[in-house]
Amino acid sequence: MHAPLIIDIAGPALDEHDRRRLGHPRVGGVILFTRNWTGRAALTRLVAEMKDLRPDLLVAVDHEGGRVQRFRDDGYTPLPAMGLLGRRWLRDAPGQPGSGALEAMEAATAIGHVLGAELRACGVDLSFTPVLDLDHGRSDVIGTRAFGRDPRVVTVLARSLALGLLQTGMANCGKHFPGHGWARADTHVASAIDERSLDAILADDALPYAHLTTCLRAVMPAHVTYPQVDARPAGFSSIWLEDVLRDRLGFAGAVFSDDLGMAAARRVPGLRGSEPDGTLTMTEAVMQALQAGCDLALVCNQSPIDGGRTLDTLLDNLDEAEQDGLWAPDPDSEDRRQRLLPQTAPLPWDELMHDGDYQRALERVVQLAADDEDAAAG
């Protein structure tokens, strides 16, 4: 049965309403936030309880490094922003051309290994990483979250980071297709526009996706509108998701919507929603994303806002839409979700602390940060 919804919970422990929602057959996963974190032991218990309710539940988190890292203490390694790797790429040792690129690739794999191993030790299945956006110097939302400006460098470093994740049994999710680095607006609070042509975007920002189709296990589209291609944002556009991403680029993995609670996800050009101001309801946003080609719909930060009433209404409405023939579950989408679940058991935290592969990766991450401080001081 297709379970397309990735929802949130309000706090660090489950209540009866959370348990009821997680048991709903249309809920396929949970996304965690800092509000769900009180420490490693508590996180491990929380995830274990969710998995007892639903063994196939996909537990995910935004844990990139830099300013986007939900868990930072109680043993979790503070990871650098990916822009540091891009800078390292450009810094060759004297008389050793290309040494910076090799060091950056090795460091990216080490970061992926540490990131994946620490999350999996607490039961988390997936982090929404790597960021494949290019740093055009225009977007404060992206900035140092990006590996850099050159799509070739971004491609190689993203592949290296994905290798580190794979070493721990974790899948990956490239974002934000086809690219968020050119648009200036923050889609959490406003609509964002990228006025460039399809050819220009494919030759630049979307280039990493073209060269990572055999590597990426999931993709998250941007809540950005590219009016020369489609009037709708990429996450609501079958042109972007079906014609370009799947047919032209050959991507066969899972497609997540970005957070449908964002402002840019509720005001879609050409679509008038049922809210008094014309914005889409949550149900309408989910339906539009699924119909455009998303396999999974992220519905974030609703439980703390209204006690979960929006989520309950969404679950009821999705059931009714299926009964009325307005939405059909997709077995291919469910298969893609299932393939994101780890296929190997994680190392528990105490064992991880004595694992040689993890320790070597951790040393490399620590050294990277120290080298960057030395370079800045020099």
Side-chain angles (χ1 to χ4, degrees):
M1 178 175 287
H2 184 193
L5 298 181
I6 310 297
I7 66 172
D8 64 347
I9 58 174
L14 299 180
D15 61 24
E16 59 179 313
H17 302 294
D18 294 321
R19 296 186 186 94
R20 172 177 50 79
R21 293 181 194 114
L22 293 178
H24 195 285
R26 294 307 174 204
V27 172
V30 173
I31 180 169
L32 299 173
F33 292 92
T34 304
R35 66 174 181 269
N36 307 124
W37 166 261
T38 57
R40 282 191 296 106
L43 176 64
T44 303
R45 288 193 299 270
L46 172 63
V47 175
E49 183 179 359
M50 292 191 288
K51 295 281 191 173
D52 284 342
L53 291 169
R54 289 280 298 280
D56 72 336
L57 197 71
L58 182 70
V59 180
V61 66
D62 272 325
H63 199 85
E64 304 166 7
R67 69 178 185 268
V68 182
Q69 182 175 343
R70 305 306 183 198
F71 316 138
R72 292 176 173 272
D73 54 18
D74 198 12
Y76 269 85
T77 303
L79 299 171
M82 296 302 99
L84 174 56
L85 293 171
R87 295 196 300 273
R88 186 67 188 86
W89 179 288
L90 298 173
R91 199 166 65 240
D92 290 338
Q96 299 180 44
S99 61
L102 294 175
E103 289 286 341
M105 292 164 60
E106 183 69 12
T109 300
I111 289 172
H113 192 113
V114 170
L115 188 161
E118 291 180 355
L119 287 177
R120 291 211 61 210
C122 293
V124 178
D125 300 314
L126 178 70
S127 176
F128 292 113
T129 187
V131 172
L132 300 181
D133 301 312
L134 307 186
D135 183 9
H136 290 277
R138 296 165 55 95
S139 173
D140 292 336
V141 177
I142 301 303
T144 59
R145 294 169 67 189
F147 291 106
R149 169 64 185 87
D150 189 326
R152 299 164 299 179
V153 173
V154 170
T155 299
V156 173
L157 291 179
R159 185 181 292 275
S160 299
L161 187 138
L163 173 60
L165 295 174
L166 181 63
Q167 291 169 346
T168 71
M170 181 175 283
N172 57 67
C173 179
K175 61 185 184 184
H176 306 82
F177 178 78
H180 200 314
W182 183 265
R184 295 184 184 277
D186 181 350
T187 51
H188 291 84
V189 296
S191 297
I193 305 293
D194 185 332
E195 68 282 358
R196 295 174 300 164
S197 69
L198 174 61
D199 287 344
I201 295 168
L202 289 177
D204 198 10
D205 292 59
L207 196 62
Y209 296 91
H211 293 291
L212 291 171
T213 53
T214 59
C215 172
L216 292 175
R217 294 293 174 262
V219 163
M220 180 183 291
H223 284 324
V224 175
T225 301
Y226 309 84
Q228 290 203 48
V229 181
D230 193 352
R232 298 185 181 186
F236 295 104
S237 168
S238 61
I239 295 175
W240 278 115
L241 299 183
E242 297 291 350
D243 298 347
V244 178
L245 181 61
R246 294 219 185 272
D247 294 342
R248 184 162 179 170
L249 301 184
F251 178 68
V255 176
F256 287 88
S257 77
D258 203 345
D259 176 17
L260 295 176
M262 291 184 184
R266 309 295 288 280
R267 291 185 178 276
V268 180
L271 291 175
R272 180 169 180 81
S274 300
E275 298 289 358
D277 62 354
T279 59
L280 300 176
T281 65
M282 187 61 73
T283 300
E284 290 167 339
V286 168
M287 295 283 288
Q288 289 292 335
L290 294 176
Q291 289 168 2
C294 289
D295 301 297
L296 299 157
L298 271 171
V299 183
C300 306
N301 298 314
Q302 299 306 303
S303 295
I305 294 174
D306 62 5
R309 289 190 298 274
T310 295
L311 292 176
D312 290 334
T313 300
L314 170 61
L315 292 170
D316 290 342
N317 289 348
L318 202 58
D319 283 341
E320 293 174 6
E322 181 184 3
Q323 294 168 8
D324 294 341
L326 301 177
W327 174 72
D330 187 340
D332 291 336
S333 290
E334 179 60 18
D335 181 62
R336 293 177 189 125
R337 183 189 75 85
Q338 294 276 350
R339 290 205 299 262
L340 295 174
L341 293 165
Q343 301 302 305
T344 59
L347 284 177
W349 194 273
D350 289 344
E351 292 182 30
L352 182 65
M353 294 301 103
H354 298 281
D355 179 68
D357 292 337
Y358 168 79
Q359 289 297 332
R360 283 191 295 273
L362 180 61
E363 290 170 6
R364 187 66 193 85
V365 173
V366 172
Q367 186 61 50
L368 174 71
D371 289 347
D372 188 61
E373 289 180 3
D374 291 344

